[in-house]
Amino acid sequence: MFPAAEAKPLPYEKLIPVLSVLSHEKHGGSLYAPFYLKAKKHGIDLSTGEYHLAGPNGEVEKLKVIEISSITDAKKTEVDRHFEKKGYILRMLVPYDKAKYKDWRLKHSLGDGALDLAFKTPNLLE
């Protein structure tokens, strides 16, 4: 299902300290935090990354990822604009639910060292 080039998974538990301080968006009754992605290596097509959370029993939950450039100016946030100016091209929504995702892993199919992952801390733009 996912290519052999898949990167080393990031335990969801390691995201909890970050997720707990980020601003959240509500979608369908659940909370999500936006993370921003850009390629670390030339020639990588981030749109093919198959970003997902993987559960301990083989569960897979695909993450919503959109190109920042496809967000209309009216809906683009100050944070979106900040990261777009710094070369980040994708916005990925990661759910914030530490009970549900205990023992899960954040994964993608681009291989180790393929991308930079960034997020807005409360004082980043101040």
Side-chain angles (χ1 to χ4, degrees):
M1 181 174 179
F2 295 102
E6 192 169 84
K8 181 179 174 186
L10 176 64
Y12 186 83
E13 288 83 17
K14 291 198 182 265
L15 293 173
I16 296 297
V18 173
L19 288 168
S20 65
V21 298
L22 295 180
S23 58
H24 299 101
E25 302 173 8
K26 200 166 199 173
H27 297 278
S30 297
L31 293 177
Y32 294 83
F35 285 75
Y36 296 85
L37 308 172
K38 73 176 176 179
K40 283 175 92 173
K41 298 176 182 175
H42 181 70
I44 292 177
D45 182 359
L46 292 182
S47 68
T48 65
E50 299 186 28
Y51 308 96
H52 62 285
L53 291 173
N57 299 313
E59 310 96 315
V60 174
E61 186 172 317
K62 291 185 179 184
L63 299 175
K64 182 176 181 180
V65 179
I66 58 171
E67 289 187 31
I68 299 170
S69 63
S70 72
I71 303 170
T72 64
D73 284 338
K75 291 190 177 186
K76 201 175 281 185
T77 68
E78 181 181 0
V79 178
D80 294 335
R81 288 184 188 90
H82 170 80
F83 283 110
E84 187 175 38
K85 286 178 187 172
K86 293 191 169 288
Y88 290 84
I89 61 169
L90 296 179
R91 184 178 198 264
M92 176 177 69
L93 294 177
V94 177
Y96 180 54
D97 188 334
K98 48 187 172 183
K100 179 178 178 179
Y101 297 107
K102 183 178 180 353
D103 299 324
W104 286 54
R105 305 280 184 263
L106 175 64
K107 300 176 90 176
H108 64 80
S109 61
L110 298 173
D112 285 335
L115 58 86
D116 273 336
L117 178 74
F119 48 86
K120 179 207 172 285
T121 57
N123 62 356
L124 176 66
L125 301 178
E126 296 172 359

